[in-house]
């Protein structure tokens, strides 16, 4: 048999060929043209078993009836379901309508524990689909899903919390500690090794040790026995803490402490300063508010009262004549003490001469005569020449001694002195030449203008009004002195407006060439106040010196 051909049989064909051609056409029509056919007529309809569809020939090619002619073959099939069923041609449940999605999925190769998914608009793929994944997707709610994944809130994971979120937002660094600054607000601060050591201590005792605290840290602050004393607002111990003495310390201990403080301060030339419950006056400068009749010696840092005292150039004369004949000179080796009460001018010479001795004030190289006396020296060493009227040197300025003679003779001077000189004798002012050549040594005698000196300190604040104060004085007697007669002292607590009675001074101990004197002042009769000052007076023309003083609250 051959392929059906709708252009044959031809009348010109043989009888045998004509019959065969007709048989081929009948066979093709019987098979619904589900076979090859040549030259089918336009509009022919066939079933294509290879493509699984009904097709129609358009004269050129076969096309699906549904797509080419918009004929819903499935609907037609439904409309004729009974007829098709009777005929055994019902396709329901046998064929799936054609779809690109199904075609994509149909192209996948199934495998155990896999699942298909779309990899793009026109692509499908497979991925693993494990038993755990199937169990997870089989959960009926999110709670079961979390349990399957081991993410039960409050059991496996932390619930969302504002505090934890704020903590998580912090930037941490080494040696930092987190602390709260408010509700759900946190910051960091330094947390060094020392702090970690303190917090790592397992007992309170170990924590005190880490802080370097001694036994005093365990004591109570207060005024009772065994308490740690506390200071008042002025930084001093209150009077409640000093019954019968400073802080309950016995008198010997207090006196010893003052002696040691004064001795050390004098040795190192320390400045006046506060001490526990009082003040120490060391006279490193001319600091007293009043010093009537006294001279402050800056070199020795003391207040001095002397009836007479010679202050001479200490240098030993050497060979050689100063060659000052016919000159007025000034000896700059010894400056005249400011405030001194000068009664005599002194000259050292081994030869006799006549002339004039002077006290000069000096400003630059200008020397002005402020006092003078005629001189008739007989030789043989130091001789004194009394001023017609004693001269009190001003408290400021520079003052030197000098002399004039037409012929000083052959008296030796001393080498390396400091002198000033000008030719001729002066009576007012003159500009002098200053050098360091030989000069004749000079000096002066200072005397007492009063029967004694009065020294008053500046006031110091002690915070609260004391009722009793110990006064100490580092004193040196040049002449024979009777305590409480030739030297007296008293104390004020209102800055000097009212005073205690004179204290009874007594010797505490010796400090080198000095004696430490002490007296206790009862301040209860005086005006109340916390501004302490002391007064010391000397009497009866007795030469004396004060090197230091101290006040300390006694009660």
């Amino acid at each position: 048999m051959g392929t059906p051909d709708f252009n044959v049989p031809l009348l010109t064909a043989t009888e045998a060929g004509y019959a065969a051609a007709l048989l081929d056409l009948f066979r093709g029509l019987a098979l619904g043209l589900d076979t090859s056919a040549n030259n089918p007529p336009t509009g022919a309809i066939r079933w294509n078993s290879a493509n699984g569809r009904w097709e129609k020939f358009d004269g050129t090619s076969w096309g699906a009836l549904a797509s080419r002619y918009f004929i819903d073959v499935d609907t037609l099939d439904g409309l004729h379901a009974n007829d098709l069923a009777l005929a055994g041609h019902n396709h329901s449940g046998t064929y799936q309508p054609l779809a690109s999605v199904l075609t994509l999925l149909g192209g996948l190769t199934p495998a155990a524990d896999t699942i298909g998914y779309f990899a793009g608009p026109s692509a499908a793929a497979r991925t693993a689909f494990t038993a755990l994944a199937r169990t997870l997707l089989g959960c009926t709610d999110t709670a079961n899903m979390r349990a399957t994944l081991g993410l039960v809130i409050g059991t496996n994971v932390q619930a969302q919390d504002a505090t934890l979120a704020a903590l998580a937002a912090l930037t941490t660094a080494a040696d930092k500690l987190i602390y709260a600054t408010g509700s759900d607000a946190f910051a960091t601060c330094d947390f060094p090794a020392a702090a970690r050591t303190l917090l790592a201590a397992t007992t309170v005792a170990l924590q005190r040790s880490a802080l370097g605290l001694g036994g005093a840290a365990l004591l109570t602050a207060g005024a009772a026995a065994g308490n740690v004393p506390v200071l008042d607002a002025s930084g001093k111990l209150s009077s409640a803490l000093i019954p019968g003495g400073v802080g309950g310390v016995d008198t010997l201990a207090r006196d010893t402490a003052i002696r040691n403080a004064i001795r050390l301060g004098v040795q190192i030339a320390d400045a006046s300063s506060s001490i526990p419950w009082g003040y120490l006056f060391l006279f490193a400068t001319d600091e007293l508010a009043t010093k009537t009749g006294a001279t402050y010696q800056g070199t020795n840092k003391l207040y001095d009262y002397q009836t007479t005292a010679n202050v001479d150039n200490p240098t030993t004369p050497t060979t050689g004549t100063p060659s000052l004949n016919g000159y007025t000179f000034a000896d700059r080796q010894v400056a005249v003490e400011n405030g001194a009460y000068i009664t005599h001018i002194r000259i050292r010479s081994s030869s006799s001469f006549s002339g004039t001795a002077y006290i000069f004030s000096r400003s630059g190289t200008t020397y002005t005569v402020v006092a003078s006396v005629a001189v008739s020296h007989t030789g043989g060493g130091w001789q004194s020449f009394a001023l017609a009227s004693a001269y009190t040197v001003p408290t400021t300025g520079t003052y030197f001694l000098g002399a004039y003679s037409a012929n000083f003779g052959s008296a030796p001077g001393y080498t390396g002195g400091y002198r000033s000189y000008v030719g001729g004798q002066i009576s007012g002012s003159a500009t002098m030449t200053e050098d360091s050549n030989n000069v004749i040594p000079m000096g002066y005698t200072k005397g007492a203008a009063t029967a004694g000196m009065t020294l008053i300190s500046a006031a110091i604040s002690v915070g609260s009004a004391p009722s009793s104060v110990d006064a100490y004085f580092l004193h040196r007697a040049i002449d024979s002195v009777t305590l409480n007669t030739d030297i007296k002292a008293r104390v004020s607590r209102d800055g000097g407006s009212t005073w205690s009675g004179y204290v009874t001074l007594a010797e505490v101990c010796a400090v080198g060439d000095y004696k430490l004197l002490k007296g206790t002042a009862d301040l209860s009769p005086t005006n109340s106040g916390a501004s302490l000052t002391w007064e010391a007076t000397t009497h009866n023309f007795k030469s004396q010196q004060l090197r230091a003083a101290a006040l300390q609250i006694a009660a």
Side-chain angles (χ1 to χ4, degrees), residues 294-365:
T295 301
Y296 175 73
Q297 292 188 18
T299 301
N300 297 319
K301 304 185 186 310
L302 56 82
Y303 289 92
D304 180 35
Y305 171 85
Q306 294 193 28
T307 52
T308 59
N310 293 329
V311 181
D312 296 332
N313 187 318
T315 309
T316 302
T318 57
T319 355
T321 302
S323 302
L324 289 170
N325 294 337
Y327 285 87
T328 298
F329 76 90
D331 177 7
R332 289 188 291 114
Q333 186 73 8
V334 178
V336 181
E337 179 183 333
N338 291 110
Y341 183 74
I342 308 301
T343 59
H344 296 73
I345 297 176
R346 291 165 55 79
I347 302 177
R348 180 173 185 168
S349 177
S350 58
S351 301
S352 60
F353 69 89
S354 297
T356 306
Y358 302 99
I359 300 176
F360 295 114
S361 69
R362 173 179 177 257
S363 176
T365 58

Side-chain angles (χ1 to χ4, degrees), residues 236-496:
K236 307 291 191 302
L237 284 181
S238 65
S239 58
L241 293 172
I242 46 178
V246 178
V249 179
D250 61 65
T251 300
L252 178 59
R254 295 199 311 276
D255 293 346
T256 301
I258 291 293
R259 180 200 65 191
N260 292 340
I262 289 177
R263 175 184 289 170
L264 177 61
V266 167
Q267 287 177 344
I268 65 175
D270 201 5
S272 299
S273 62
S274 296
I275 57 174
W277 315 288
Y279 200 84
L280 192 64
F281 303 83
L282 293 172
F283 306 158
T285 61
D286 186 4
E287 64 185 78
L288 294 185
T290 299
K291 58 172 184 177
T292 303
T295 301
Y296 175 73
Q297 292 188 18
T299 301
N300 297 319
K301 304 185 186 310
L302 56 82
Y303 289 92
D304 180 35
Y305 171 85
Q306 294 193 28
T307 52
T308 59
N310 293 329
V311 181
D312 296 332
N313 187 318
T315 309
T316 302
T318 57
T319 355
T321 302
S323 302
L324 289 170
N325 294 337
Y327 285 87
T328 298
F329 76 90
D331 177 7
R332 289 188 291 114
Q333 186 73 8
V334 178
V336 181
E337 179 183 333
N338 291 110
Y341 183 74
I342 308 301
T343 59
H344 296 73
I345 297 176
R346 291 165 55 79
I347 302 177
R348 180 173 185 168
S349 177
S350 58
S351 301
S352 60
F353 69 89
S354 297
T356 306
Y358 302 99
I359 300 176
F360 295 114
S361 69
R362 173 179 177 257
S363 176
T365 58
T366 299
Y367 289 75
T368 301
V369 176
V370 295
S372 63
V373 60
V375 171
S376 180
H377 203 294
T378 59
W382 285 104
Q383 291 184 8
S384 297
F385 304 94
L387 294 171
S389 298
Y391 178 72
T392 301
V393 181
T395 56
T396 60
T398 303
Y399 297 84
F400 293 112
L401 303 171
Y404 166 81
S405 176
N407 183 4
F408 283 106
S410 58
Y414 63 91
T415 304
Y418 294 93
R419 72 178 182 181
S420 301
Y421 62 93
V422 64
Q425 184 175 9
I426 67 172
S427 58
S429 298
T431 298
M432 294 191 182
T433 300
E434 298 181 341
D435 62 20
S436 56
N437 290 325
N438 288 2
V439 69
I440 297 173
M442 299 193 67
Y444 63 93
T445 300
K446 63 179 182 177
T450 61
M453 61 180 175
T454 298
L455 304 177
I456 302 176
S457 73
I460 60 164
S461 175
V462 292
S464 58
S467 60
S468 180
V469 168
D470 289 331
Y472 294 85
F473 300 95
L474 190 61
H475 172 263
R476 181 183 180 190
I478 306 301
D479 295 331
S480 177
V481 169
T482 301
L483 297 182
N484 305 305
T485 298
D486 299 326
I487 179 171
K488 300 178 181 180
R490 57 183 181 171
V491 178
S492 170
R493 64 178 177 179
D494 61 1

Side-chain angles (χ1 to χ4, degrees), residues 522-546:
D522 179 9
L523 297 174
S524 56
T526 68
N527 292 341
S528 182
S531 183
L532 292 182
T533 184
W534 55 263
E535 177 193 80
T537 56
T538 64
H539 307 268
N540 306 317
F541 293 95
K542 297 294 182 74
S543 298
Q544 304 176 63
Q545 297 173 337
L546 279 186

Side-chain angles (χ1 to χ4, degrees), residues 19-33:
L22 287 176
L23 290 173
D24 288 336
L25 287 173
F26 292 149
R27 187 183 73 252
L29 290 173
L31 293 175
L33 296 181

